[in-house]
């Protein structure tokens, strides 16, 4: 487990180094991020779900554990909104806390899953993708529309942003092909496999390139709330629910990993586009990614 985790963070550190030294320019990183987000990671999700034997996996229990954990954290944050406002957290800052507390970095999660459990781990993590991503996108867009100071998205634009999210449509395609896997051409399966293999390394490099260590200011209440909620509260909730639903073994491990990884780098772009506090979102993402090097192994060791 520690070997897989160190390997993942070394790739992230390599991405940061390549950008910091200017070996790969900012404009090129934009293309890498777009390629990874729009093409390579959808290939991972489609291939994994299409060829998986879902009948032998605890799909419902695992998905329900993660969804319930997300809903509980989201509810607690919304209840705490008046208290945070009195502490000086304005609407845009609250949306960054919210995204930082509930979203998860699928790049890191899938890479860890592959390192820890191989093909089975990737399949289980793809189940987490299918369960969590649609809910998270709906929730985050709605919260940004309600609390950010930017122009709220229209209902049609909200539906489009959700429907065209690469992880949502790729999950739908993968689940559909799973019912037709007996008639899938071998060349198509191999094509998706090759594309998916490129995703993990490239995606982690992009995560590292997105880190901005200079943006880390003195920790404020917004940083503390987002870090504690995402890296401590979320894993404990997901583990508690999973145990009550009877999960054990690799499925429990992957549930804890999915709940313990830092927030998604894509949260920054959503905050920027919808009027959230994008600089704060960047700080939360960087801080969580660095601290996860310590919290992730502790979560896996003590909760599985």
């Amino acid at each position: 487990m520690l070997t897989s985790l160190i390997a993942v963070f070394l790739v992230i550190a390599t991405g940061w180094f390549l950008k910091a030294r200017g070996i790969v320019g900012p404009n090129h990183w934009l293309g890498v991020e777009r390629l990874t987000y729009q093409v390579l990671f959808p290939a991972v999700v489609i291939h994994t779900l299409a060829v998986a034997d879902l009948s032998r996996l605890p799909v419902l229990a695992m998905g329900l554990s993660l969804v319930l954990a997300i809903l509980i954290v989201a509810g607690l944050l919304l209840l705490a909104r008046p208290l945070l406002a009195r502490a000086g957290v304005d609407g845009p800052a609250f949306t960054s806390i919210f995204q930082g507390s509930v979203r998860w970095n699928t790049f890191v999660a899938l890479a860890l899953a592959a390192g820890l459990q191989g093909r089975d781990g990737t399949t289980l993590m793809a189940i987490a993708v299918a369960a969590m991503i649609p809910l998270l996108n709906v929730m985050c867009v709605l919260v940004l529309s309600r609390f950010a100071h930017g122009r709220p998205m229209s209902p049609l634009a909200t539906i489009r942003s959700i429907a065209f999210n690469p992880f949502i449509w790729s999950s739908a395609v993968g689940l559909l092909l799973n019912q037709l896997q007996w008639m899938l051409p071998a060349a198509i399966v191999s094509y998706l496999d090759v594309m998916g293999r490129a995703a993990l390394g490239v995606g982690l490099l992009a995560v590292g390139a997105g880190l901005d260590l200079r943006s880390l200011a003195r920790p404020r209440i917004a940083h503390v709330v987002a870090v504690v909620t995402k890296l401590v509260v979320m894993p404990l909730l997901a583990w508690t629910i999973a145990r009550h639903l009877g999960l054990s073994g690799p499925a429990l491990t992957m549930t804890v990993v999915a709940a313990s990884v830092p927030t998604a780098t894509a949260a920054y772009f959503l905050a920027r586009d919808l009027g959230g506090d994008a600089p704060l979102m960047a700080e939360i993402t960087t801080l969580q990614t660095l601290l996860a090097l310590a919290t992730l192994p502790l979560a896996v060791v003590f909760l599985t």
Side-chain angles (χ1 to χ4, degrees):
M1 183 271 297
L2 191 59
T3 298
S4 298
L5 186 64
I6 291 173
V8 166
F9 277 89
L10 283 175
V11 180
I12 292 174
T14 302
W16 174 83
F17 176 80
L18 291 173
K19 184 177 181 181
R21 296 300 299 269
I23 298 174
V24 180
N27 291 334
H28 292 94
W29 282 116
L30 290 175
V32 171
E33 290 173 357
R34 187 174 180 84
L35 172 67
T36 306
Y37 187 64
Q38 299 285 353
V39 179
L40 299 181
F41 262 89
V44 172
V45 175
I46 292 172
H47 176 264
T48 302
L49 290 176
V51 302
D53 181 6
L54 297 179
S55 62
R56 66 179 183 86
L57 297 173
V59 176
L60 182 60
M62 185 175 178
L64 190 59
S65 300
L66 293 168
V67 166
L68 288 177
I70 290 170
L71 291 175
I72 292 171
V73 168
L76 292 173
L77 287 172
L78 291 172
L79 289 174
R81 171 72 187 112
L83 295 176
L84 292 171
R86 284 198 287 270
V89 176
D90 61 12
F94 174 74
T95 65
S96 292
I97 293 175
F98 188 89
Q99 287 205 91
S101 298
V102 301
R103 296 190 69 157
W104 65 310
N105 196 312
T106 48
F107 298 169
V108 176
L110 280 165
L112 281 174
L116 290 170
Q117 302 288 344
R119 176 72 68 186
D120 288 344
T122 305
T123 303
L124 287 165
M125 199 57 68
I127 293 171
V129 169
M132 296 168 70
I133 295 299
L135 173 65
L136 287 173
N137 277 273
V138 172
M139 287 173 42
C140 289
V141 168
L142 291 176
V143 167
L144 276 156
S145 298
R146 169 65 179 83
F147 293 103
H149 293 164
R151 181 171 59 85
M153 293 180 68
S154 67
L156 180 59
T158 302
I159 293 172
R160 288 188 61 187
S161 71
I162 294 167
F164 287 98
N165 180 284
F167 288 107
I168 292 178
W169 64 254
S170 62
S171 297
V173 171
L175 291 171
L176 175 63
L177 293 180
N178 183 269
Q179 305 303 311
L180 305 172
Q181 56 180 274
W182 57 273
M183 58 183 295
L184 285 177
I188 298 298
V189 175
S190 297
Y191 162 74
L192 291 171
D193 186 32
V194 171
M195 294 290 284
R197 289 177 187 274
L200 298 182
V202 176
L204 292 176
L205 289 174
V207 170
L211 300 182
D212 185 4
L213 302 184
R214 295 169 299 179
S215 72
L216 291 178
R218 293 180 59 183
R220 309 193 306 269
I221 186 171
H223 300 88
V224 174
V225 171
V227 167
V228 172
T229 305
K230 182 66 190 74
L231 300 183
V232 179
V233 177
M234 183 73 80
L236 286 172
L237 275 173
W239 174 79
T240 302
I241 298 169
R243 292 292 294 170
H244 276 84
L245 293 177
L247 281 183
S248 61
L252 180 62
T253 301
M254 292 302 103
T255 300
V256 171
V257 169
S260 303
V261 292
T263 192
T265 52
Y268 170 81
F269 301 103
L270 193 62
R272 187 183 60 188
D273 292 343
L274 298 184
D277 190 335
L280 174 60
M281 191 70 252
E283 293 171 11
I284 289 173
T285 303
T286 299
L287 191 59
Q288 285 188 5
T289 303
L290 295 175
L291 291 176
L293 182 59
T295 60
L296 256 169
L298 291 175
V300 173
V301 167
F302 288 107
L303 298 180
T304 63

